[in-house]
Amino acid sequence: NADAAMYRAKDGGRNNYQFYAREMNASGEENLILLDGLRQSLEATLAGAPGGGLSLCYQPKVDLKTGRVFGVEALLRWHHPEHGPVSPQRFIGLAEESGMIVELGEWALRTACRQNQAWRAAGLPPITVSVNVSPRQFEERKLVARVAAALRDSGLPPDALELEVTESLIMRDLAQSVAKMRDLEAMGVSLSIDDFGTGYSSLSALKSFPISRLKIDKSFVSELAANPDDQAIAMAVISLGHKLHLRVIAEGVETEEQCAFLRANDCDEMQGYLFSRPVPPARIAELLATAQQFVPAEVAA
Ligand code: C2E
Ligand code: MG
Ligand code: MG
Ligand code: MG
């Protein structure tokens, strides 16, 4: 489709998602309607309309040694005016395909930076905020400049921001990706590999990534208590991460058994329903204000 290709070539042009939408005939009218709703919500949210429909929830990340919340991950939420909440799996996939993710992601980045700076300004214990970056956003020429602008405009120190990227994203164009990651690192922003173990990256490539953290994918965590294969994978990722001087965090931790296994095997951090679901920003403020710590059942008992 020539139009779509032309607009794709106009790297980073604003409001170009209408054109990308033409590529999507195969995925059906329903998706186009949903995408249109998303565009309307994004415009309303950007215009500052109350109840624009888009928001960020934040999920605490807990240090397994100290029990402290050291950071949060920002996760997009979309409340459709008629259909109610739409799962991120669904709308982020559509936004990625259509190119709308560039603007959506920039809104998320700017909002998360502003929110974290607001918590700091309110005197809460300083934490980091992690923002997910999708392939299309990462490939965008202006990504580094956008991150710099989000930091400058919010006043958030760069070391209070982390970006979560996936292996498959990095491997699309390894040399380019590493160059971009180095620019971000030079700015003081840290990077983590999300869903680690589900993508493909060679160990020699991994060695060259300027990252500070590996996130063990939740698919390896869900059966961790009973499945020896998942246990082997988790232990291997933890030891690989540590040998490369990286922190290792497990995502999707729901049970005490999973948590106990991770602690016993020297995993550094965890994130999951066991401690907290993703929550609206006011709940994070509360949680930090009361200095809530994670006390595992083994210790509490
Ligand atoms: P992710 O970055 O791997 O985020 C972790 C997902 O696991 C989140 O799903 C979170 O709500 C969920 N989760 C956390 N703890 C648990 C648990 O204990 N058990 C289970 N079963 N799930 C848990 P969510 O919020 O639906 O987001 C799904 C994906 O959408 C994210 O996966 C991320 O790839 C993407 N996403 C979310 N927000 C953004 C965003 O602002 N930008 C981009 N580009 N992608 C985003
Ligand atoms: Mg993530
Ligand atoms: Mg993840
Ligand atoms: Mg995931």
Side-chain angles (χ1 to χ4, degrees):
N1 176 319
D3 273 355
M6 183 180 82
Y7 279 94
R8 205 187 297 111
K10 272 181 63 183
D11 171 36
R14 292 210 145 226
N15 296 318
N16 54 7
Y17 37 81
Q18 299 91 324
F19 302 96
Y20 285 120
R22 286 188 207 161
E23 296 174 279
M24 296 176 48
N25 294 338
S27 40
E29 195 181 349
E30 201 187 295
N31 283 346
L32 284 178
I33 292 169
L34 204 60
L35 199 56
D36 193 53
L38 184 59
R39 183 185 47 76
Q40 287 177 30
S41 287
L42 178 60
E43 278 169 9
T45 304
L46 288 172
L54 287 166
S55 61
L56 290 179
C57 272
Y58 297 85
Q59 186 178 39
K61 297 182 175 190
V62 175
D63 186 311
L64 283 169
K65 301 255 151 55
T66 63
R68 278 232 181 73
V69 173
F70 66 92
V72 292
E73 176 175 6
L75 293 158
L76 264 168
R77 293 293 176 260
W78 179 32
H79 194 98
H80 189 284
E82 288 127 48
H83 311 307
V86 183
S87 103
Q89 223 86 302
R90 182 98 204 272
F91 76 82
I92 287 168
L94 281 178
E96 176 72 15
E97 277 178 70
S98 70
M100 207 195 295
I101 193 69
V102 173
E103 277 182 272
L104 194 58
E106 185 174 23
W107 178 80
L109 172 70
R110 296 181 67 84
T111 304
C113 288
R114 230 184 300 117
Q115 180 62 69
N116 196 14
Q117 184 56 23
W119 285 324
R120 288 173 174 237
L124 297 169
I127 56 171
T128 59
V129 69
S130 309
V131 177
N132 291 285
V133 176
S134 77
R136 207 133 175 180
Q137 270 177 286
F138 192 78
E139 277 164 9
E140 214 229 347
R141 192 170 34 83
K142 287 185 283 190
L143 171 85
V144 176
R146 285 179 196 267
V147 172
L151 289 169
R152 186 182 355 96
D153 296 349
S154 63
L156 186 70
D159 65 0
L161 175 65
E162 177 179 78
L163 301 179
E164 297 193 1
V165 297
T166 60
E167 293 161 89
S168 42
L169 172 162
I170 299 168
M171 297 306 289
R172 280 188 179 196
D173 183 343
L174 184 60
Q176 271 270 12
S177 297
V178 171
K180 238 172 221 187
M181 291 165 88
R182 293 213 181 284
D183 288 347
L184 292 163
E185 184 194 33
M187 204 190 287
V189 172
S190 59
L191 289 152
S192 68
I193 307 283
D194 204 351
D195 305 337
F196 186 74
T198 63
Y200 170 82
S201 55
S202 71
L203 296 180
S204 63
L206 183 64
K207 192 179 72 174
S208 68
F209 301 162
I211 53 170
S212 46
R213 177 175 275 114
L214 293 180
K215 297 192 79 171
I216 302 177
D217 189 65
K218 62 175 181 286
S219 63
F220 304 119
V221 174
S222 59
E223 257 129 61
L224 197 53
N227 185 329
D229 293 341
D230 288 340
Q231 293 177 352
I233 291 168
M235 288 162 75
V237 174
I238 294 165
S239 112
L240 174 67
H242 287 170
K243 291 205 168 104
L244 295 173
H245 309 291
L246 307 173
R247 308 272 299 167
V248 179
I249 184 165
E251 66 173 25
V253 178
E254 295 184 354
T255 69
E256 288 289 354
E257 291 72 25
Q258 293 161 353
C259 180
F261 180 90
L262 292 161
R263 299 176 99 240
N265 288 281
D266 214 22
C267 189
D268 302 293
E269 303 156 351
M270 70 134 181
Q271 186 181 349
Y273 298 169
L274 176 63
F275 181 72
S276 172
R277 291 188 171 250
V279 295
R283 297 276 308 281
I284 294 289
E286 246 168 68
L287 190 151
L288 292 173
T290 56
Q292 191 176 336
Q293 291 208 354
F294 175 71
V295 182
E298 338 139 39
V299 177

